[in-house]
């Protein structure tokens, strides 16, 4: 018969199981693994192969964590499916299941074998097949059980045996073989024990206590385990005491609850389990139960919430219980320091409760309970109850050496909750950034100290926490006042050299200091005015310059914490205004143009004149860069106090230089990247008298007149149009030349 037909018969026999609830599984016992055969016969001919597959709890193949055994010896193979060719008892297990039942696989050398389908469970129908090695020559097949021919089993390739059991019956078959169609030989197979597996394990009776105390409940559990291959088989259970059925008889539940056990309930107990539709019944072993009646002992007091730690306003439960004792028990509760009991209850129960509503701080203390069942009261141990109070909102205060906090002061932040159980942890914050914490183990407040800097201005807060919820204080603002630093005075003029009529800006700024800052401006210690700065950047004071404005300048910064004075800055003003200088320059340029026209006619004379001018130049003349220098014979201050040219962007402390005499000279001056060249033609000196600034030198003070000519520079990249345009502009400027009387000032250096 084709293999597909045999598999179909095997599936049909398995589907004859009935649905039902899963039986109770014994504790600590892992379900057995399941071993399957392919083809599904436990006996095959030698030379054939059989595939064994191991399945775990999930009923899916277990990969690479399978352990195989042959005749109780571990094999090296760990795959979930293996092929075998040798006879033996095979078992398997996985990491999630225990060892499977042993399956005997026989590889027979006989010419006739009896095959039984696998797996087979109690109550299953099993297929038996009589198979010859040369099956086409076998006929008249007959099947036997324990030596007796099975009914309706003559001349059939296979038969079905109904509802097999684990009774160790022996089966075999016979068949006749024809030799050359002349001789018929009868052959007999080897005896076969059908490997019937347990549908469920023998039940075990579990009891909550084998010696229950009188009045206590009792739980009976009938534990068993269905085969993983038959998880849907339905079982029912029944419990017995001294041959008397307990409860309502058969039940689908494996558990029986007895509310209270009394002395008359002592005796022998067992349970039975059976299939609902099949007559397969199994009984547990007998257990002896003796109900105890004893005096109360081991009295225990329990507090809820557990640990006896309560928050004010919560409810407290005092539970008094006895570990042993039967009959009626009287319970009472007591608090240290009180004569009368808190409460009393009498009941047939091993425990009683006393409720205390909305506890207060005064409910803190030690408690105990007593239990008595006529043999005298038995006391519990003392239990401490602590009622804790959550912290209130803390109050943050500042403690400083003065009303107005200054940089460098030691500031104490004090945080205190007026109510709350200790210990209390205080945390301090500046702009929500944690500064630190401090603990008050015995209540009260805590402090945190700061050495103030400017950055400590802002909002401060604190919180208090005693483990019952943190509380935050209100924010408190602090302004740290910073004294004004020594200011810097800067003089800002409209040009490189200040002249009469220019607008001069005096700018005073302290780089550090709290606002507002009041700035005062001074000229030779005379107050010029003041200006207030409410933010950074300093303050300014403007002057329209006159000749009297030369001298020493300073400023002062004050924000109420002490005035700071700047360093002195010396400033000089040229006596001639810028408009007068322009007219003088125009006159000079007219004279220079006349001289140049004569020089063009007599080039040789001009060359001689130029040679003479160079030969007569002295160090006191104006250099090509516009700065002045002095010969050793001229009046000079000592090198340590010699003034330098004033930079109007930075303060200096130099003194003005005395006027000096200059020799006639010729030179060209190009100021910076300008397109103009100033040609220095002649210097005229007028004697005024002895100089007061150089008494040791006895030199005369001379008034200096300088002649300049303004010329256009020729640019290599000028186009013809640009040259003509510049020529016209030059002609327009010819009216602006004039002799300029000029006194050399210290600022020219």
């Amino acid at each position: 018969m084709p293999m597909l037909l045999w598999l179909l018969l095997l599936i049909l026999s398995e589907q004859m199981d009935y649905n039902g609830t899963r039986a109770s599984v014994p504790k600590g016992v892992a379900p057995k693994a399941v071993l399957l055969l392919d083809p599904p016969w436990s006996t095959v001919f030698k030379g054939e192969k059989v595939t064994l597959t191991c399945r775990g709890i999930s009923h899916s193949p277990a990969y690479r964590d399978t352990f195989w055994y042959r005749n109780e010896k571990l094999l090296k193979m760990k795959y979930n499916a293996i092929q075998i060719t040798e006879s033996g008892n095979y078992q398997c297990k996985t990491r999630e299941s225990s060892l499977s039942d042993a399956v005997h696989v026989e590889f027979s050398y006989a010419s006739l074998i009896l095959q039984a389908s696998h797996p087979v469970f109690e109550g299953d129908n099993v297929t038996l097949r009589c198979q010859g090695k040369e099956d086409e020559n076998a006929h008249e097949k007959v099947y036997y059980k324990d030596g007796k021919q099975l009914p309706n089993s003559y001349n059939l390739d296979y038969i079905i045996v109904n509802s097999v059991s684990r009774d160790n019956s022996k089966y075999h078959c016979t068949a006749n073989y024809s030799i050359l169609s002349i001789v018929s030989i009868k052959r007999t197979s080897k005896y076969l024990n059908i490997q019937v597996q347990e549908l469920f394990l023998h039940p075990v009776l579990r009891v909550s206590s084998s010696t229950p105390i009188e009045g206590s409940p009792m739980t009976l559990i009938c534990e068993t385990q269905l085969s993983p291959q038959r998880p849907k088989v339905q079982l029912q259970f029944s419990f017995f005491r001294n041959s008397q059925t307990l409860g309502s008889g058969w039940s689908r539940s494996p558990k029986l609850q007895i509310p209270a056990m009394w002395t008359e309930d002592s005796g022998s107990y067992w349970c039975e389990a059976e299939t609902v539709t099949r007559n397969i019944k199994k009984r547990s072993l007998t257990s002896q139960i003796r109900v105890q009646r004893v005096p109360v002992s081991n009295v225990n007091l329990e507090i809820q919430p557990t640990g006896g730690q309560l928050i004010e306003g919560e409810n407290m439960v005092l539970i008094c219980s006895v570990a042993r004792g039967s009959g009626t028990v009287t319970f009472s509760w007591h608090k240290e320091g009180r004569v009368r009991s808190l409460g009393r209850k009498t009941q047939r129960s091993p425990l009683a409760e006393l409720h205390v509503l909305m506890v207060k701080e005064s409910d803190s203390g030690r408690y105990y309970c007593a239990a008595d069942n006529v043999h005298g009261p038995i006391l519990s141990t003392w239990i401490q109850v602590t009622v804790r109070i959550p912290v209130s909102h803390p109050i943050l205060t500042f403690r400083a050496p003065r009303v107005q906090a200054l940089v460098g002061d030691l500031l104490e932040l004090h945080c205190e909750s007026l109510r709350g159980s200790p210990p209390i942890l205080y945390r301090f914050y500046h702009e929500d950034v944690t500064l630190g914490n401090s603990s008050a183990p015995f209540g009260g407040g805590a402090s945190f100290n700061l050495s103030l800097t400017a950055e400590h201005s802002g909002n401060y807060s604190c919180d208090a926490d005693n483990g019952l919820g943190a509380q935050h204080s209100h924010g408190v603002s602090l302004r740290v006042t910073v004294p004004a630093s020594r200011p810097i005075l800067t003089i800002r003029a409209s040009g490189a050299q200040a002249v009469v009529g220019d607008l001069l800006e005096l700018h005073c700024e302290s780089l550090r200091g709290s606002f507002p800052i009041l700035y005062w401006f001074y000229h030779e210690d005379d107050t010029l005015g003041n200006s207030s700065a409410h933010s950074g950047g300093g303050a300014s004071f403007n002057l329209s310059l006159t000749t009297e404005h030369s001298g020493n300048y300073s400023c002062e910064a004050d924000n109420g914490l002490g005035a700071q004075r700047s360093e002195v800055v010396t400033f000089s003003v040229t006596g001639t205004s810028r408009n007068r200088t322009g007219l003088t320059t125009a006159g000079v340029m007219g004279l220079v143009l006349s001289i140049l026209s004569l020089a063009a006619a007599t080039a040789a004379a001009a060359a001689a004149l130029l040679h003479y001018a160079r030969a007569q130049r002295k160090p006191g003349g104006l250099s090509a860069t516009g700065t002045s220098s002095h010969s050793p014979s001229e009046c000079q201050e000592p090198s340590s106090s010699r003034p330098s040219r004033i930079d109007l962007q930075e303060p200096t402390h130099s003194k003005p230089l005395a006027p000096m005499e200059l020799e006639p000279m010729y030179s060209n001056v190009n100021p910076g990247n300008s397109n103009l060249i100033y040609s220095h033609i002649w210097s005229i000196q007028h004697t005024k008298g002895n100089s007061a600034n150089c008494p040791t030198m006895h030199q005369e003070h001379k008034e200096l007149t300088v002649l300049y000519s303004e010329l256009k520079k020729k640019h290599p990249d000028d186009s013809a149009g640009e040259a003509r345009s510049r020529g016209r502009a030059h002609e327009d400027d010819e009216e602006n030349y004039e002799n300029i009387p000029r006194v050399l000032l210290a600022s020219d250096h």
Side-chain angles (χ1 to χ4, degrees):
M1 180 178 293
M3 182 61 66
L4 181 60
L5 178 60
W6 294 112
L7 291 175
L8 179 61
L9 290 173
L10 178 59
I11 294 172
L12 289 174
S13 66
E14 291 182 358
Q15 289 180 344
M16 293 180 184
D17 295 330
Y18 296 89
N19 295 336
T21 59
R22 184 185 297 274
S24 175
V25 178
K27 295 180 180 179
V29 179
K32 290 184 178 181
V34 176
L35 196 155
L36 303 177
L37 308 181
D38 184 22
W41 311 111
S42 58
T43 303
V44 295
F45 291 108
K46 186 67 175 178
E48 294 181 339
K49 294 181 180 180
V50 176
T51 300
L52 305 182
T53 303
C54 189
R55 295 182 183 273
I57 299 174
S58 60
H59 304 290
S60 61
Y63 293 95
R64 300 194 66 84
D65 62 349
T66 306
F67 300 91
W68 292 96
Y69 300 86
R70 177 174 175 267
N71 297 331
E72 300 182 352
K73 292 183 179 180
L74 180 65
L75 301 178
K76 294 183 179 181
M77 296 171 288
K78 289 191 176 182
Y79 294 96
N80 68 297
I82 62 173
Q83 281 190 340
I84 60 172
T85 58
E86 298 293 333
S87 299
N89 293 322
Y90 288 88
Q91 291 175 283
C92 73
K93 71 173 182 178
T94 64
R95 298 187 187 277
E96 61 181 5
S97 61
S98 59
L99 197 63
S100 68
D101 291 329
V103 176
H104 182 77
V105 180
E106 180 72 25
F107 290 89
S108 177
Y109 288 94
S111 58
L112 183 66
I113 58 175
L114 178 62
Q115 296 177 314
S117 59
H118 182 84
V120 179
F121 291 91
E122 296 170 306
D124 280 355
N125 298 330
V126 63
T127 299
L128 298 180
R129 184 175 74 162
C130 192
Q131 184 76 4
K133 201 166 190 180
E134 298 176 357
D135 198 54
E136 65 277 2
N137 296 326
H139 55 88
E140 297 179 1
K141 297 177 181 177
V142 181
Y143 298 85
Y144 300 86
K145 176 184 178 182
D146 295 331
K148 295 181 180 180
Q149 182 178 341
L150 293 172
N152 303 320
S153 64
Y154 179 76
N155 202 23
L156 296 175
D157 287 335
Y158 67 93
I159 64 170
I160 296 177
V161 179
N162 296 323
S163 190
V164 295
S165 62
R166 296 165 60 89
D167 55 5
N168 294 323
S169 297
K170 297 184 182 297
Y171 296 84
H172 73 279
C173 70
T174 60
N176 291 326
Y177 280 82
S178 298
I179 299 176
L180 299 176
S181 301
I182 301 174
V183 180
S184 179
I185 299 176
K186 184 177 183 179
R187 293 181 178 174
T188 302
S189 70
K190 186 178 179 180
Y191 283 90
L192 172 68
N193 287 325
I194 300 177
Q195 301 179 53
V196 180
Q197 301 182 44
E198 279 191 302
L199 183 62
F200 59 91
L201 300 177
H202 273 79
V204 176
L205 179 63
R206 305 288 183 187
V207 297
S208 57
S209 176
S210 59
T211 56
I213 298 175
E214 185 180 23
S216 64
M218 173 68 74
T219 301
L220 305 177
I221 300 176
C222 193
E223 291 185 345
T224 186
Q225 181 180 0
L226 285 168
S227 170
Q229 293 177 274
R230 296 291 188 272
K232 296 183 180 180
V233 173
Q234 187 175 3
L235 301 179
Q236 58 186 4
F237 305 90
S238 184
F239 298 87
F240 302 89
R241 182 188 68 236
N242 300 332
S243 301
Q244 181 182 358
T245 302
L246 300 176
S248 59
W250 291 101
S251 171
R252 301 287 178 85
S253 174
K255 182 185 295 186
L256 176 66
Q257 186 76 39
I258 301 175
M261 295 289 289
W262 308 108
T263 54
E264 59 269 21
D265 293 327
S266 299
S268 298
Y269 288 76
W270 74 88
C271 70
E272 292 181 355
E274 71 173 4
T275 57
V276 174
T277 57
R278 301 177 183 173
N279 191 21
I280 299 176
K281 182 188 296 185
K282 296 182 181 181
R283 172 177 169 170
S284 71
L285 298 177
T286 300
S287 298
Q288 296 296 323
I289 297 178
R290 294 288 181 263
V291 181
Q292 302 294 317
R293 174 175 289 178
V294 294
V296 295
S297 61
N298 297 334
V299 180
N300 181 61
L301 177 62
E302 180 184 350
I303 306 293
Q304 289 185 351
T306 305
Q309 299 289 327
L310 292 96
I311 302 175
E312 187 179 41
E314 289 185 336
N315 297 331
M316 178 174 63
V317 182
L318 305 176
I319 304 173
C320 191
S321 62
V322 295
R324 298 174 63 84
S326 61
T328 301
V329 181
T330 299
F331 299 93
S332 60
W333 293 266
H334 308 267
K335 182 179 183 291
E336 186 178 28
R338 291 188 57 173
V339 178
R340 299 182 59 182
S341 66
L342 300 175
R344 184 180 297 268
K345 287 185 179 181
T346 300
Q347 59 192 44
R348 193 174 186 178
S349 171
L351 63 86
E353 297 179 353
L354 178 68
H355 293 260
V356 180
L357 304 178
M358 298 186 67
V359 296
K360 302 179 293 297
E361 189 175 11
S362 60
D363 291 322
S364 297
R366 297 204 304 166
Y367 291 77
Y368 73 95
C369 73
D372 185 9
N373 64 347
V374 189
H375 295 282
I378 306 298
L379 306 182
S380 71
T381 58
W382 291 90
I383 288 187
Q384 179 68 40
V385 173
T386 302
V387 179
R388 302 190 65 199
I389 302 173
V391 294
S392 60
H393 285 282
I395 299 173
L396 178 65
T397 55
F398 294 149
R399 297 174 181 175
R402 55 180 61 85
V403 176
Q404 187 175 18
L406 301 182
V407 171
D409 284 353
L410 185 64
L411 178 70
E412 177 186 352
L413 307 177
H414 185 78
C415 187
E416 182 172 1
S417 289
L418 301 180
R419 199 165 181 273
S421 299
I424 302 175
L425 179 65
Y426 292 95
R427 294 184 179 87
F428 298 85
Y429 303 92
H430 175 219
E431 302 293 356
D432 297 328
V433 177
T434 302
L435 295 174
N437 59 69
S438 182
S439 180
F442 305 106
S447 297
F448 186 84
N449 294 329
L450 283 175
S451 181
L452 293 179
T453 65
E455 290 74 16
H456 284 136
S457 294
N459 295 320
Y460 288 79
S461 62
C462 68
D463 62 28
D465 189 1
N466 63 351
L468 304 178
Q471 295 291 335
H472 207 69
S473 73
H474 293 295
V476 180
S477 295
L478 175 69
R479 183 173 181 269
V480 180
T481 305
V482 183
S485 62
R486 188 174 188 182
I488 298 173
L489 177 63
T490 306
I491 299 178
R492 300 171 181 172
S494 57
Q497 179 174 332
V499 299
V500 172
D502 280 356
L503 185 64
L504 182 72
E505 178 187 356
L506 305 178
H507 184 79
C508 190
E509 181 176 1
S510 287
L511 299 181
R512 293 181 70 253
S514 298
F515 299 102
I517 300 177
L518 181 62
Y519 292 96
W520 294 85
F521 298 87
Y522 301 93
H523 175 223
E524 303 293 354
D525 294 329
D526 293 331
T527 303
L528 296 174
N530 63 67
S531 180
S532 182
H534 295 273
S535 60
S540 297
F541 187 83
N542 296 329
L543 287 174
S544 181
L545 294 177
T546 66
T547 55
E548 289 78 11
H549 283 140
S550 295
N552 296 322
Y553 287 82
S554 63
C555 69
E556 191 175 74
D558 189 2
N559 62 352
L561 302 178
Q564 294 290 330
R565 194 72 172 255
S566 73
E567 293 184 357
V568 174
V569 179
T570 301
F571 183 74
S572 298
V573 181
T574 301
T576 305
S577 67
R578 296 190 183 276
N579 291 335
R580 177 64 179 166
T581 302
L583 294 174
T584 303
T585 304
V588 171
M589 289 306 299
L591 177 61
V592 170
L593 289 176
S594 299
I595 295 174
L596 291 178
S597 62
L598 295 175
T602 58
L609 179 61
L610 180 60
H611 176 75
Y612 173 77
R614 290 178 179 176
Q616 295 299 320
R617 285 186 61 185
K618 293 185 179 181
L622 187 66
S623 68
T625 60
T627 62
S628 298
S629 61
H630 301 81
S631 66
S633 62
E634 292 175 334
C635 176
Q636 298 181 7
E637 296 289 338
S639 61
S640 61
S641 61
R642 182 176 181 178
S644 62
R645 180 181 177 118
I646 294 178
D647 184 355
L648 295 184
Q649 299 301 321
E650 296 181 3
T652 66
H653 313 289
S654 302
K655 296 182 179 180
L657 186 67
M660 297 181 179
E661 296 180 0
L662 298 178
E663 294 292 332
M665 51 87 65
Y666 297 93
S667 65
N668 293 333
V669 180
N670 177 17
N673 295 325
S674 172
N675 292 330
L676 298 177
I677 297 176
Y678 295 91
S679 180
H680 186 174
I681 303 300
W682 191 257
S683 297
I684 303 174
Q685 300 173 344
H686 304 279
T687 302
K688 292 292 184 178
N690 293 336
S691 173
N693 294 331
C694 266
T696 59
M697 300 299 294
H698 302 289
Q699 291 187 355
E700 293 181 348
H701 177 69
K702 299 179 181 180
E703 181 176 343
L704 175 66
T705 301
V706 183
L707 301 183
Y708 284 93
S709 175
E710 178 180 344
L711 303 177
K712 279 287 182 175
K713 288 174 62 177
K714 173 63 178 177
H715 292 266
D717 55 349
D718 281 350
S719 63
E722 291 174 343
R724 287 192 299 271
S725 176
R726 289 196 181 110
R728 288 193 299 271
H730 179 69
E731 293 173 1
D732 294 338
D733 292 337
E734 287 180 353
E735 301 299 326
N736 296 325
Y737 296 100
E738 180 181 358
N739 292 339
I740 303 171
R742 180 173 180 273
V743 178
L744 184 65
L745 299 178
S747 59
D748 292 334
H749 291 271

